[in-house]
Amino acid sequence: MIALSVNLNKIALIRNSREGNFPDVTAHGRICLDCGAQGLTVHPRPDQRHIRPGDVRELAALCASRDGIEFNVEGNPFAAPQGDYPGLMALVLETSPDQCTLVPDSNDQLTSDHGFDLKRDGARLEPIIAQLRDANVRVSLFMDPDLEQISRAREAGADRIELYTGPYAEAVTNQSADIDRIFAAHCAAAEHARQLGLGVNAGHDLNLINLPRYRTLPGLQEVSIGHALTVDALNMGLDNAVAAYLNCLAGN
């Protein structure tokens, strides 16, 4: 079974456009879990454009209160604290999520758009990965489908990789002739990761159109989906949107 972890960033983005707590991020996370999602994902950033530290704390408590539910916190471990944002590592060590997905995005990026270059960042990441694993937090690294880089992820001590699916999703949207080549590269990357003992997650711009094929990726364990699921929820309701993604992942 491929687990669905619902990314709540866009719910928080809507909330932050007004004063107050409407929509309530934790309440929407609860709806997703009630509808069968196996986990929740958040990506707190130093500028707090969407998820805030308080959201991370509340959602950690929500997920911890339910058996078998995974809480995944993702972000850039090198980003400095800013205001009341304590930094990713401090927040993760405080809230003890099941998984921390490390992402190489800068503070001014609109969204994550590439995987780690571990030739450059591997040595800096190794002590961070070790600290997270010592705290019983599973570590996933956001990666492009590059076999050499995935080997380096294993050497750095990661437990899983999350394959960056943006180019695949774009190829499907544009009906590009490169779709088969891109998907084959992801399959090869997933197989390579499995041979190394790494788990395989995936995420970025996955939706109900491109997910039916991507769900056949060898050994895929988890997808993190937020933007498209939130948009679909505007049309069909959050409960129906979660159900649609779960059915898609199940091959129904």
Side-chain angles (χ1 to χ4, degrees), residues 109-141:
Q109 278 185 236
L110 180 64
T111 185
S112 305
D113 61 8
H114 62 282
F116 273 108
D117 177 356
L118 295 179
K119 293 180 183 178
R120 182 189 64 201
D121 294 325
R124 285 205 298 165
L125 279 173
E126 286 183 13
I128 292 171
I129 293 170
Q131 186 178 19
L132 290 169
R133 295 188 69 185
D134 286 345
N136 295 316
V137 177
R138 185 171 69 233
V139 181
S140 179
L141 297 184

PDB file of all heavy atoms in Angstrom, residues 109-141:
ATOM      1  N   GLN A 109      12.920  30.927  -2.420  1.00  0.00           N
ATOM      2  CA  GLN A 109      12.284  30.093  -3.436  1.00  0.00           C
ATOM      3  C   GLN A 109      10.778  30.073  -3.245  1.00  0.00           C
ATOM      4  O   GLN A 109      10.281  29.989  -2.122  1.00  0.00           O
ATOM      5  CB  GLN A 109      12.803  28.651  -3.357  1.00  0.00           C
ATOM      6  CG  GLN A 109      14.129  28.446  -4.056  1.00  0.00           C
ATOM      7  CD  GLN A 109      14.555  26.987  -4.056  1.00  0.00           C
ATOM      8  OE1 GLN A 109      15.636  26.669  -3.591  1.00  0.00           O
ATOM      9  NE2 GLN A 109      13.721  26.111  -4.554  1.00  0.00           N
ATOM     10  N   LEU A 110      10.045  30.107  -4.379  1.00  0.00           N
ATOM     11  CA  LEU A 110       8.594  29.994  -4.310  1.00  0.00           C
ATOM     12  C   LEU A 110       8.193  28.612  -3.822  1.00  0.00           C
ATOM     13  O   LEU A 110       7.287  28.450  -3.005  1.00  0.00           O
ATOM     14  CB  LEU A 110       7.981  30.280  -5.687  1.00  0.00           C
ATOM     15  CG  LEU A 110       6.460  30.193  -5.781  1.00  0.00           C
ATOM     16  CD1 LEU A 110       5.815  31.256  -4.906  1.00  0.00           C
ATOM     17  CD2 LEU A 110       6.015  30.349  -7.233  1.00  0.00           C
ATOM     18  N   THR A 111       8.898  27.598  -4.319  1.00  0.00           N
ATOM     19  CA  THR A 111       8.639  26.219  -3.911  1.00  0.00           C
ATOM     20  C   THR A 111       9.897  25.403  -4.200  1.00  0.00           C
ATOM     21  O   THR A 111      10.803  25.862  -4.910  1.00  0.00           O
ATOM     22  CB  THR A 111       7.427  25.639  -4.672  1.00  0.00           C
ATOM     23  OG1 THR A 111       7.122  24.330  -4.167  1.00  0.00           O
ATOM     24  CG2 THR A 111       7.692  25.563  -6.167  1.00  0.00           C
ATOM     25  N   SER A 112       9.964  24.208  -3.663  1.00  0.00           N
ATOM     26  CA  SER A 112      11.124  23.334  -3.895  1.00  0.00           C
ATOM     27  C   SER A 112      11.189  22.964  -5.372  1.00  0.00           C
ATOM     28  O   SER A 112      10.175  22.617  -5.977  1.00  0.00           O
ATOM     29  CB  SER A 112      11.016  22.077  -3.044  1.00  0.00           C
ATOM     30  OG  SER A 112      10.859  22.409  -1.678  1.00  0.00           O
ATOM     31  N   ASP A 113      12.389  23.024  -5.961  1.00  0.00           N
ATOM     32  CA  ASP A 113      12.479  22.749  -7.395  1.00  0.00           C
ATOM     33  C   ASP A 113      13.707  21.939  -7.797  1.00  0.00           C
ATOM     34  O   ASP A 113      14.038  21.868  -8.974  1.00  0.00           O
ATOM     35  CB  ASP A 113      12.427  24.051  -8.193  1.00  0.00           C
ATOM     36  CG  ASP A 113      13.580  25.002  -7.874  1.00  0.00           C
ATOM     37  OD1 ASP A 113      14.522  24.599  -7.151  1.00  0.00           O
ATOM     38  OD2 ASP A 113      13.542  26.146  -8.355  1.00  0.00           O
ATOM     39  N   HIS A 114      14.378  21.301  -6.834  1.00  0.00           N
ATOM     40  CA  HIS A 114      15.525  20.453  -7.177  1.00  0.00           C
ATOM     41  C   HIS A 114      15.906  19.628  -5.955  1.00  0.00           C
ATOM     42  O   HIS A 114      15.581  19.987  -4.828  1.00  0.00           O
ATOM     43  CB  HIS A 114      16.716  21.287  -7.636  1.00  0.00           C
ATOM     44  CG  HIS A 114      17.246  22.224  -6.593  1.00  0.00           C
ATOM     45  ND1 HIS A 114      16.648  23.419  -6.288  1.00  0.00           N
ATOM     46  CD2 HIS A 114      18.312  22.132  -5.759  1.00  0.00           C
ATOM     47  CE1 HIS A 114      17.320  24.032  -5.332  1.00  0.00           C
ATOM     48  NE2 HIS A 114      18.338  23.258  -4.991  1.00  0.00           N
ATOM     49  N   GLY A 115      16.607  18.538  -6.230  1.00  0.00           N
ATOM     50  CA  GLY A 115      17.089  17.704  -5.151  1.00  0.00           C
ATOM     51  C   GLY A 115      18.465  18.136  -4.673  1.00  0.00           C
ATOM     52  O   GLY A 115      19.082  19.053  -5.215  1.00  0.00           O
ATOM     53  N   PHE A 116      18.949  17.466  -3.634  1.00  0.00           N
ATOM     54  CA  PHE A 116      20.264  17.783  -3.073  1.00  0.00           C
ATOM     55  C   PHE A 116      21.392  17.455  -4.045  1.00  0.00           C
ATOM     56  O   PHE A 116      21.338  16.473  -4.787  1.00  0.00           O
ATOM     57  CB  PHE A 116      20.502  16.986  -1.792  1.00  0.00           C
ATOM     58  CG  PHE A 116      19.987  17.650  -0.554  1.00  0.00           C
ATOM     59  CD1 PHE A 116      18.862  17.154   0.090  1.00  0.00           C
ATOM     60  CD2 PHE A 116      20.621  18.764  -0.017  1.00  0.00           C
ATOM     61  CE1 PHE A 116      18.384  17.751   1.235  1.00  0.00           C
ATOM     62  CE2 PHE A 116      20.151  19.374   1.127  1.00  0.00           C
ATOM     63  CZ  PHE A 116      19.027  18.873   1.762  1.00  0.00           C
ATOM     64  N   ASP A 117      22.421  18.277  -4.012  1.00  0.00           N
ATOM     65  CA  ASP A 117      23.711  17.954  -4.617  1.00  0.00           C
ATOM     66  C   ASP A 117      24.601  17.496  -3.465  1.00  0.00           C
ATOM     67  O   ASP A 117      25.161  18.307  -2.730  1.00  0.00           O
ATOM     68  CB  ASP A 117      24.302  19.178  -5.309  1.00  0.00           C
ATOM     69  CG  ASP A 117      25.678  18.903  -5.896  1.00  0.00           C
ATOM     70  OD1 ASP A 117      26.200  17.784  -5.706  1.00  0.00           O
ATOM     71  OD2 ASP A 117      26.241  19.812  -6.521  1.00  0.00           O
ATOM     72  N   LEU A 118      24.721  16.192  -3.303  1.00  0.00           N
ATOM     73  CA  LEU A 118      25.441  15.663  -2.146  1.00  0.00           C
ATOM     74  C   LEU A 118      26.958  15.673  -2.337  1.00  0.00           C
ATOM     75  O   LEU A 118      27.689  15.464  -1.368  1.00  0.00           O
ATOM     76  CB  LEU A 118      24.931  14.263  -1.815  1.00  0.00           C
ATOM     77  CG  LEU A 118      23.462  14.234  -1.370  1.00  0.00           C
ATOM     78  CD1 LEU A 118      23.015  12.807  -1.091  1.00  0.00           C
ATOM     79  CD2 LEU A 118      23.243  15.099  -0.140  1.00  0.00           C
ATOM     80  N   LYS A 119      27.421  15.944  -3.542  1.00  0.00           N
ATOM     81  CA  LYS A 119      28.848  16.206  -3.703  1.00  0.00           C
ATOM     82  C   LYS A 119      29.213  17.472  -2.934  1.00  0.00           C
ATOM     83  O   LYS A 119      30.292  17.580  -2.345  1.00  0.00           O
ATOM     84  CB  LYS A 119      29.198  16.384  -5.177  1.00  0.00           C
ATOM     85  CG  LYS A 119      29.044  15.137  -6.023  1.00  0.00           C
ATOM     86  CD  LYS A 119      29.420  15.440  -7.476  1.00  0.00           C
ATOM     87  CE  LYS A 119      29.198  14.226  -8.360  1.00  0.00           C
ATOM     88  NZ  LYS A 119      29.510  14.527  -9.781  1.00  0.00           N
ATOM     89  N   ARG A 120      28.297  18.434  -2.953  1.00  0.00           N
ATOM     90  CA  ARG A 120      28.522  19.709  -2.284  1.00  0.00           C
ATOM     91  C   ARG A 120      28.080  19.686  -0.830  1.00  0.00           C
ATOM     92  O   ARG A 120      28.774  20.200   0.056  1.00  0.00           O
ATOM     93  CB  ARG A 120      27.777  20.814  -3.032  1.00  0.00           C
ATOM     94  CG  ARG A 120      27.959  22.222  -2.471  1.00  0.00           C
ATOM     95  CD  ARG A 120      27.001  23.187  -3.151  1.00  0.00           C
ATOM     96  NE  ARG A 120      25.608  22.827  -2.850  1.00  0.00           N
ATOM     97  CZ  ARG A 120      24.574  23.200  -3.593  1.00  0.00           C
ATOM     98  NH1 ARG A 120      24.747  23.890  -4.705  1.00  0.00           N
ATOM     99  NH2 ARG A 120      23.346  22.843  -3.238  1.00  0.00           N
ATOM    100  N   ASP A 121      26.905  19.096  -0.557  1.00  0.00           N
ATOM    101  CA  ASP A 121      26.279  19.233   0.759  1.00  0.00           C
ATOM    102  C   ASP A 121      26.353  17.982   1.630  1.00  0.00           C
ATOM    103  O   ASP A 121      25.925  18.018   2.788  1.00  0.00           O
ATOM    104  CB  ASP A 121      24.796  19.615   0.594  1.00  0.00           C
ATOM    105  CG  ASP A 121      24.616  21.000  -0.004  1.00  0.00           C
ATOM    106  OD1 ASP A 121      25.438  21.882   0.296  1.00  0.00           O
ATOM    107  OD2 ASP A 121      23.649  21.195  -0.770  1.00  0.00           O
ATOM    108  N   GLY A 122      26.871  16.886   1.080  1.00  0.00           N
ATOM    109  CA  GLY A 122      26.849  15.633   1.830  1.00  0.00           C
ATOM    110  C   GLY A 122      27.551  15.707   3.173  1.00  0.00           C
ATOM    111  O   GLY A 122      27.026  15.249   4.195  1.00  0.00           O
ATOM    112  N   ALA A 123      28.735  16.299   3.207  1.00  0.00           N
ATOM    113  CA  ALA A 123      29.491  16.368   4.462  1.00  0.00           C
ATOM    114  C   ALA A 123      28.770  17.216   5.500  1.00  0.00           C
ATOM    115  O   ALA A 123      28.817  16.906   6.699  1.00  0.00           O
ATOM    116  CB  ALA A 123      30.885  16.932   4.193  1.00  0.00           C
ATOM    117  N   ARG A 124      28.109  18.272   5.073  1.00  0.00           N
ATOM    118  CA  ARG A 124      27.357  19.107   6.013  1.00  0.00           C
ATOM    119  C   ARG A 124      26.109  18.410   6.512  1.00  0.00           C
ATOM    120  O   ARG A 124      25.657  18.640   7.640  1.00  0.00           O
ATOM    121  CB  ARG A 124      26.935  20.425   5.339  1.00  0.00           C
ATOM    122  CG  ARG A 124      28.036  21.438   5.163  1.00  0.00           C
ATOM    123  CD  ARG A 124      27.463  22.842   5.078  1.00  0.00           C
ATOM    124  NE  ARG A 124      26.584  23.011   3.939  1.00  0.00           N
ATOM    125  CZ  ARG A 124      25.741  24.044   3.810  1.00  0.00           C
ATOM    126  NH1 ARG A 124      25.647  24.955   4.772  1.00  0.00           N
ATOM    127  NH2 ARG A 124      24.984  24.151   2.728  1.00  0.00           N
ATOM    128  N   LEU A 125      25.543  17.542   5.680  1.00  0.00           N
ATOM    129  CA  LEU A 125      24.307  16.860   6.062  1.00  0.00           C
ATOM    130  C   LEU A 125      24.541  15.687   7.005  1.00  0.00           C
ATOM    131  O   LEU A 125      23.657  15.350   7.803  1.00  0.00           O
ATOM    132  CB  LEU A 125      23.582  16.350   4.813  1.00  0.00           C
ATOM    133  CG  LEU A 125      22.733  17.362   4.048  1.00  0.00           C
ATOM    134  CD1 LEU A 125      22.233  16.756   2.749  1.00  0.00           C
ATOM    135  CD2 LEU A 125      21.553  17.831   4.901  1.00  0.00           C
ATOM    136  N   GLU A 126      25.678  15.050   6.918  1.00  0.00           N
ATOM    137  CA  GLU A 126      25.907  13.831   7.696  1.00  0.00           C
ATOM    138  C   GLU A 126      25.663  14.006   9.192  1.00  0.00           C
ATOM    139  O   GLU A 126      24.961  13.184   9.803  1.00  0.00           O
ATOM    140  CB  GLU A 126      27.308  13.291   7.421  1.00  0.00           C
ATOM    141  CG  GLU A 126      27.442  12.634   6.071  1.00  0.00           C
ATOM    142  CD  GLU A 126      28.812  12.037   5.846  1.00  0.00           C
ATOM    143  OE1 GLU A 126      29.581  11.919   6.831  1.00  0.00           O
ATOM    144  OE2 GLU A 126      29.124  11.691   4.693  1.00  0.00           O
ATOM    145  N   PRO A 127      26.209  15.028   9.858  1.00  0.00           N
ATOM    146  CA  PRO A 127      25.928  15.169  11.292  1.00  0.00           C
ATOM    147  C   PRO A 127      24.466  15.507  11.582  1.00  0.00           C
ATOM    148  O   PRO A 127      23.930  15.133  12.636  1.00  0.00           O
ATOM    149  CB  PRO A 127      26.863  16.304  11.738  1.00  0.00           C
ATOM    150  CG  PRO A 127      27.224  17.025  10.489  1.00  0.00           C
ATOM    151  CD  PRO A 127      27.208  16.015   9.394  1.00  0.00           C
ATOM    152  N   ILE A 128      23.807  16.194  10.667  1.00  0.00           N
ATOM    153  CA  ILE A 128      22.386  16.512  10.836  1.00  0.00           C
ATOM    154  C   ILE A 128      21.555  15.234  10.757  1.00  0.00           C
ATOM    155  O   ILE A 128      20.664  14.993  11.590  1.00  0.00           O
ATOM    156  CB  ILE A 128      21.939  17.526   9.765  1.00  0.00           C
ATOM    157  CG1 ILE A 128      22.610  18.878  10.008  1.00  0.00           C
ATOM    158  CG2 ILE A 128      20.420  17.668   9.733  1.00  0.00           C
ATOM    159  CD1 ILE A 128      22.406  19.878   8.897  1.00  0.00           C
ATOM    160  N   ILE A 129      21.860  14.404   9.768  1.00  0.00           N
ATOM    161  CA  ILE A 129      21.156  13.125   9.635  1.00  0.00           C
ATOM    162  C   ILE A 129      21.390  12.263  10.867  1.00  0.00           C
ATOM    163  O   ILE A 129      20.452  11.646  11.401  1.00  0.00           O
ATOM    164  CB  ILE A 129      21.616  12.406   8.352  1.00  0.00           C
ATOM    165  CG1 ILE A 129      21.151  13.181   7.114  1.00  0.00           C
ATOM    166  CG2 ILE A 129      21.101  10.973   8.316  1.00  0.00           C
ATOM    167  CD1 ILE A 129      21.753  12.681   5.814  1.00  0.00           C
ATOM    168  N   ALA A 130      22.613  12.220  11.345  1.00  0.00           N
ATOM    169  CA  ALA A 130      22.922  11.420  12.533  1.00  0.00           C
ATOM    170  C   ALA A 130      22.160  11.927  13.753  1.00  0.00           C
ATOM    171  O   ALA A 130      21.654  11.124  14.557  1.00  0.00           O
ATOM    172  CB  ALA A 130      24.426  11.452  12.793  1.00  0.00           C
ATOM    173  N   GLN A 131      22.066  13.237  13.903  1.00  0.00           N
ATOM    174  CA  GLN A 131      21.338  13.800  15.041  1.00  0.00           C
ATOM    175  C   GLN A 131      19.855  13.439  14.982  1.00  0.00           C
ATOM    176  O   GLN A 131      19.249  13.092  16.009  1.00  0.00           O
ATOM    177  CB  GLN A 131      21.500  15.319  15.057  1.00  0.00           C
ATOM    178  CG  GLN A 131      20.912  15.987  16.286  1.00  0.00           C
ATOM    179  CD  GLN A 131      21.143  17.490  16.296  1.00  0.00           C
ATOM    180  OE1 GLN A 131      21.425  18.096  15.267  1.00  0.00           O
ATOM    181  NE2 GLN A 131      21.023  18.100  17.455  1.00  0.00           N
ATOM    182  N   LEU A 132      19.271  13.489  13.795  1.00  0.00           N
ATOM    183  CA  LEU A 132      17.861  13.136  13.651  1.00  0.00           C
ATOM    184  C   LEU A 132      17.633  11.655  13.921  1.00  0.00           C
ATOM    185  O   LEU A 132      16.679  11.275  14.621  1.00  0.00           O
ATOM    186  CB  LEU A 132      17.375  13.493  12.242  1.00  0.00           C
ATOM    187  CG  LEU A 132      17.247  14.988  11.944  1.00  0.00           C
ATOM    188  CD1 LEU A 132      17.026  15.221  10.451  1.00  0.00           C
ATOM    189  CD2 LEU A 132      16.108  15.599  12.749  1.00  0.00           C
ATOM    190  N   ARG A 133      18.494  10.817  13.413  1.00  0.00           N
ATOM    191  CA  ARG A 133      18.330   9.381  13.636  1.00  0.00           C
ATOM    192  C   ARG A 133      18.528   9.031  15.111  1.00  0.00           C
ATOM    193  O   ARG A 133      17.836   8.151  15.642  1.00  0.00           O
ATOM    194  CB  ARG A 133      19.297   8.599  12.752  1.00  0.00           C
ATOM    195  CG  ARG A 133      18.994   8.757  11.261  1.00  0.00           C
ATOM    196  CD  ARG A 133      19.824   7.828  10.411  1.00  0.00           C
ATOM    197  NE  ARG A 133      19.421   6.434  10.621  1.00  0.00           N
ATOM    198  CZ  ARG A 133      20.043   5.398  10.068  1.00  0.00           C
ATOM    199  NH1 ARG A 133      21.101   5.584   9.290  1.00  0.00           N
ATOM    200  NH2 ARG A 133      19.637   4.171  10.313  1.00  0.00           N
ATOM    201  N   ASP A 134      19.434   9.720  15.781  1.00  0.00           N
ATOM    202  CA  ASP A 134      19.630   9.512  17.219  1.00  0.00           C
ATOM    203  C   ASP A 134      18.369   9.883  17.998  1.00  0.00           C
ATOM    204  O   ASP A 134      18.126   9.349  19.089  1.00  0.00           O
ATOM    205  CB  ASP A 134      20.811  10.329  17.737  1.00  0.00           C
ATOM    206  CG  ASP A 134      22.157   9.747  17.314  1.00  0.00           C
ATOM    207  OD1 ASP A 134      22.186   8.576  16.875  1.00  0.00           O
ATOM    208  OD2 ASP A 134      23.168  10.463  17.422  1.00  0.00           O
ATOM    209  N   ALA A 135      17.580  10.816  17.429  1.00  0.00           N
ATOM    210  CA  ALA A 135      16.322  11.233  18.063  1.00  0.00           C
ATOM    211  C   ALA A 135      15.148  10.375  17.602  1.00  0.00           C
ATOM    212  O   ALA A 135      13.984  10.716  17.861  1.00  0.00           O
ATOM    213  CB  ALA A 135      16.048  12.700  17.748  1.00  0.00           C
ATOM    214  N   ASN A 136      15.433   9.264  16.915  1.00  0.00           N
ATOM    215  CA  ASN A 136      14.408   8.339  16.416  1.00  0.00           C
ATOM    216  C   ASN A 136      13.482   8.970  15.385  1.00  0.00           C
ATOM    217  O   ASN A 136      12.284   8.647  15.317  1.00  0.00           O
ATOM    218  CB  ASN A 136      13.595   7.749  17.570  1.00  0.00           C
ATOM    219  CG  ASN A 136      14.420   6.874  18.481  1.00  0.00           C
ATOM    220  OD1 ASN A 136      15.226   6.058  18.013  1.00  0.00           O
ATOM    221  ND2 ASN A 136      14.262   7.049  19.789  1.00  0.00           N
ATOM    222  N   VAL A 137      14.033   9.881  14.595  1.00  0.00           N
ATOM    223  CA  VAL A 137      13.298  10.486  13.489  1.00  0.00           C
ATOM    224  C   VAL A 137      13.838   9.901  12.184  1.00  0.00           C
ATOM    225  O   VAL A 137      15.038   9.964  11.929  1.00  0.00           O
ATOM    226  CB  VAL A 137      13.462  12.021  13.478  1.00  0.00           C
ATOM    227  CG1 VAL A 137      12.749  12.632  12.278  1.00  0.00           C
ATOM    228  CG2 VAL A 137      12.921  12.626  14.776  1.00  0.00           C
ATOM    229  N   ARG A 138      12.972   9.297  11.391  1.00  0.00           N
ATOM    230  CA  ARG A 138      13.385   8.772  10.093  1.00  0.00           C
ATOM    231  C   ARG A 138      13.761   9.936   9.176  1.00  0.00           C
ATOM    232  O   ARG A 138      13.069  10.953   9.136  1.00  0.00           O
ATOM    233  CB  ARG A 138      12.251   7.964   9.461  1.00  0.00           C
ATOM    234  CG  ARG A 138      12.654   7.283   8.155  1.00  0.00           C
ATOM    235  CD  ARG A 138      11.575   6.329   7.673  1.00  0.00           C
ATOM    236  NE  ARG A 138      10.385   7.025   7.240  1.00  0.00           N
ATOM    237  CZ  ARG A 138       9.160   6.769   7.684  1.00  0.00           C
ATOM    238  NH1 ARG A 138       8.958   5.876   8.647  1.00  0.00           N
ATOM    239  NH2 ARG A 138       8.132   7.420   7.197  1.00  0.00           N
ATOM    240  N   VAL A 139      14.824   9.769   8.408  1.00  0.00           N
ATOM    241  CA  VAL A 139      15.339  10.853   7.577  1.00  0.00           C
ATOM    242  C   VAL A 139      15.179  10.504   6.100  1.00  0.00           C
ATOM    243  O   VAL A 139      15.626   9.458   5.629  1.00  0.00           O
ATOM    244  CB  VAL A 139      16.827  11.126   7.865  1.00  0.00           C
ATOM    245  CG1 VAL A 139      17.327  12.276   6.991  1.00  0.00           C
ATOM    246  CG2 VAL A 139      17.036  11.440   9.339  1.00  0.00           C
ATOM    247  N   SER A 140      14.521  11.419   5.384  1.00  0.00           N
ATOM    248  CA  SER A 140      14.381  11.296   3.941  1.00  0.00           C
ATOM    249  C   SER A 140      15.033  12.509   3.293  1.00  0.00           C
ATOM    250  O   SER A 140      14.909  13.634   3.790  1.00  0.00           O
ATOM    251  CB  SER A 140      12.891  11.230   3.562  1.00  0.00           C
ATOM    252  OG  SER A 140      12.721  11.127   2.159  1.00  0.00           O
ATOM    253  N   LEU A 141      15.731  12.298   2.183  1.00  0.00           N
ATOM    254  CA  LEU A 141      16.377  13.384   1.452  1.00  0.00           C
ATOM    255  C   LEU A 141      15.666  13.613   0.125  1.00  0.00           C
ATOM    256  O   LEU A 141      15.374  12.664  -0.616  1.00  0.00           O
ATOM    257  CB  LEU A 141      17.856  13.071   1.178  1.00  0.00           C
ATOM    258  CG  LEU A 141      18.776  12.921   2.386  1.00  0.00           C
ATOM    259  CD1 LEU A 141      20.220  12.709   1.908  1.00  0.00           C
ATOM    260  CD2 LEU A 141      18.706  14.136   3.292  1.00  0.00           C
TER     261      LEU A 141
END
